[in-house]
Amino acid sequence: MLGINDPGIYLGYLFSILGLIACIVYGILNWNKGRETDIEEIQKDLEWESKDELTKGEI
């Protein structure tokens, strides 16, 4: 079939297509997750950044 005699080639194609589908499903399910929405967490990060020496330009 299609001039390919080795079943390993078919498995390679199959796994690459399954991997593509798995990545697409994972991306759709986790599209907007991971963003900080807690006000206290955002405030802590802003305070930490204001105390950080590298963000002030003092190297």
Side-chain angles (χ1 to χ4, degrees), residues 2-20:
L2 300 175
I4 302 171
N5 295 329
D6 189 15
I9 303 295
Y10 292 117
L11 288 176
Y13 282 123
L14 176 67
F15 288 142
S16 65
I17 292 170
L18 290 177
L20 171 71

Side-chain angles (χ1 to χ4, degrees), residues 16-46:
S16 65
I17 292 170
L18 290 177
L20 171 71
I21 293 170
C23 288
I24 291 172
V25 169
Y26 178 81
I28 290 171
L29 293 176
N30 294 309
W31 184 262
N32 287 325
K33 290 184 181 177
R35 293 188 179 179
E36 295 177 356
T37 56
D38 188 22
I39 301 298
E40 294 174 2
E41 185 70 27
I42 295 172
Q43 187 64 31
K44 269 190 349 187
D45 286 345
L46 289 174

